[in-house]
Amino acid sequence: MTTPPRIGSVWARRYPGYPQHNFDFRVTGVFTRDGVTYVEVEELESGAPRRGLLEYMLDYAEPVSSEDLHSAAKGEQSP
């Protein structure tokens, strides 16, 4: 990934074969220190904060829109 994710963007992280590690999160911060980029996120379900290396946090993650995520939580179908 060449461009860091935008603050406020919503992502769904899905581990193949390990659904217990799946979670949805919102990016709350992106920063670089000594040439290494880190990302801070908030889990949407629990509100728990996480921080990690950008490449590790976004492994198996796909961006989603907040509208799609909100609709899915309500059990609605996207058009």
Side-chain angles (χ1 to χ4, degrees):
M1 170 171 282
T2 58
T3 305
R6 295 179 66 153
I7 293 174
S9 60
V10 176
W11 295 70
R13 191 170 186 193
R14 304 291 181 255
Y15 287 96
Y18 297 95
Q20 69 272 22
H21 296 295
N22 294 344
F23 64 95
D24 299 325
F25 62 91
R26 181 179 328 298
V27 176
T28 58
V30 179
F31 61 96
T32 302
R33 183 171 186 165
D34 298 327
V36 179
T37 302
Y38 298 88
V39 64
E40 294 176 335
V41 303
E42 174 187 9
E43 287 187 43
L44 295 182
E45 187 174 308
S46 67
R50 289 183 179 221
R51 177 187 293 171
L53 292 171
L54 174 67
E55 65 241 29
Y56 295 154
M57 289 300 291
L58 297 183
D59 276 351
Y60 306 109
E62 294 289 328
V64 296
S65 75
S66 58
E67 289 178 21
D68 289 343
L69 194 58
H70 181 68
S71 295
K74 288 184 164 183
E76 299 171 1
Q77 294 290 328
S78 296

